Amino acid sequence: MIAVQRGRIDIEAVVDSVRRDDAGAIVLFLGTVRADPGVAALDYEVYKAMAVRKQTELAERAKAKFGVLEVSIAHRLGRVPVGGDSVAIACSAAHRKEAFAACGWAMDEVKRIVPIWKSEAAPARRRPRRSNV
Amino acid sequence: MRVRVKLFATYREIVGRRELAWPIHAGDTVGTVVDGLVVKHPRLRAFRETMLLAVNEAFAHADIALADGDEVAIMPPVSGGLP
């Protein structure tokens, strides 16, 4: 599964997409939005067509490089609140060692070559309520 | 002849557009387009050396020649963050 999406990532669907009977291991990585000071959310801007293309390339390269069976990469687009999942990568392999290696490598590559930019969104300021009276 | 130029993040904010049509002449390269944009939007100049460039959704060097209808993307370095 390769996805760039505005809605929440369905983690179970990502994991299911890499299940195979010849797999003995599935590694799932989730990137989540951290509550750094003054940050309420992260806004992700994506060059979607190219991001999908790069994620597809990465999944194929991970399979060739590490001998893993399936690789899925899903990334959020738009606003993701603190605690939300911004990226999910799942790798299945016959054995866990390759699955861990491929998953770590794929995440590093996502950060290096997939055209996605994030900006911090501060908490909304409470504005004085207007009164008609 | 013209190309479509897509701008992202800081560059989109500087230019005030996500996408624009840009006229090209025979022999123009990605670099020619970037140079033209920098002249029109001087605040881009500070980023000139670190821009990521792509043509038709593939990363490209500035010396790649352009054809009518190509899609040129001008992008800041990818978000990165600590490993």
Side-chain angles (χ1 to χ4, degrees), chain B residues 21-44:
Chain B
W22 192 266
I24 58 164
H25 304 285
D28 276 1
T29 62
V30 180
T32 317
V33 171
V34 173
D35 290 344
L37 270 171
V38 167
V39 168
K40 197 166 176 188
H41 303 277
R43 285 174 59 211
L44 288 173

Side-chain angles (χ1 to χ4, degrees), chain A residues 30-132:
Chain A
L30 296 179
T32 58
V33 176
R34 188 177 51 237
D36 284 345
V39 175
L42 290 179
D43 289 322
Y44 290 90
E45 181 172 345
V46 180
Y47 181 8
K48 194 169 177 182
M50 189 169 170
V52 167
R53 189 183 283 248
K54 286 289 161 199
Q55 287 176 198
T56 305
E57 268 176 38
L58 278 181
E60 290 309 312
R61 280 170 55 210
K63 286 190 222 174
K65 187 176 169 75
F66 297 94
V68 292
L69 299 171
E70 301 291 341
V71 177
S72 285
I73 305 172
H75 206 296
R76 287 289 295 275
L77 151 70
R79 181 158 294 192
V80 183
V82 163
D85 303 320
S86 52
V87 57
I89 300 181
C91 298
S92 60
H95 304 284
R96 68 182 181 280
K97 193 173 174 187
E98 303 92 90
F100 274 116
C103 202
W105 177 85
M107 188 59 230
D108 288 346
E109 288 294 290
V110 165
K111 291 216 166 198
R112 198 172 70 82
I113 65 162
V114 180
I116 297 177
W117 302 271
K118 63 186 175 193
S119 55
E120 297 178 349
R125 281 191 191 160
R126 188 172 294 174
R127 294 184 183 183
R129 191 168 290 180
R130 286 189 183 192
S131 166
N132 290 326

Side-chain angles (χ1 to χ4, degrees), chain A residues 7-31:
Chain A
R8 190 179 151 274
I9 297 171
D10 181 341
I11 303 304
E12 201 165 343
V14 174
V15 172
D16 284 346
S17 70
V18 301
R19 287 187 189 281
R20 278 178 42 165
D21 288 350
D22 51 349
I26 293 176
V27 169
L28 169 69
F29 170 81
L30 296 179

